[in-house]
């Protein structure tokens, strides 16, 4: 695999208006916890990602941010 080419092509598809949310270090820790809790279960990764997104969106809204669904 030509990693620089793959990354370059993928980067070209990212919407330039996209931004990281606040408190992403906390968010990544939460993601890690969700994945570890569901590792080895059917649909575990998908469930971990869904739960992580739901909690992250809820926390951002509680902090007054507008979040598109």
């Amino acid at each position: 695999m030509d990693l620089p080419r793959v990354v370059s092509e993928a980067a070209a598809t990212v919407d330039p208006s996209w931004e990281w949310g606040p408190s992403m270090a906390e968010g990544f820790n939460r993601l890690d916890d969700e994945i570890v809790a569901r590792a080895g279960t059917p649909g575990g990764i998908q469930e971990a990602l869904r739960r992580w997104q739901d909690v992250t969106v809820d926390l951002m809204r509680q902090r007054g941010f507008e979040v598109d669904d």
Side-chain angles (χ1 to χ4, degrees):
M1 171 183 358
D2 180 0
L3 186 57
R5 181 187 56 76
V6 171
V7 170
S8 179
E9 289 173 3
T13 68
V14 175
D15 181 347
S17 68
W18 181 86
E19 297 179 21
W20 285 107
S23 305
M24 287 312 296
E26 174 188 352
F28 287 130
N29 287 336
R30 188 176 308 109
L31 175 59
D32 185 52
D33 292 344
E34 292 287 350
I35 289 174
V36 167
R38 286 158 187 77
T41 63
I45 297 297
Q46 291 88 348
E47 178 66 12
L49 290 170
R50 187 194 61 74
R51 289 177 53 87
W52 175 60
Q53 177 175 323
D54 291 347
V55 170
T56 300
V57 167
D58 288 344
L59 288 173
M60 289 180 69
R61 287 183 174 144
Q62 289 173 20
R63 293 175 179 164
F65 291 92
E66 187 175 315
V67 181
D68 293 336
D69 288 325

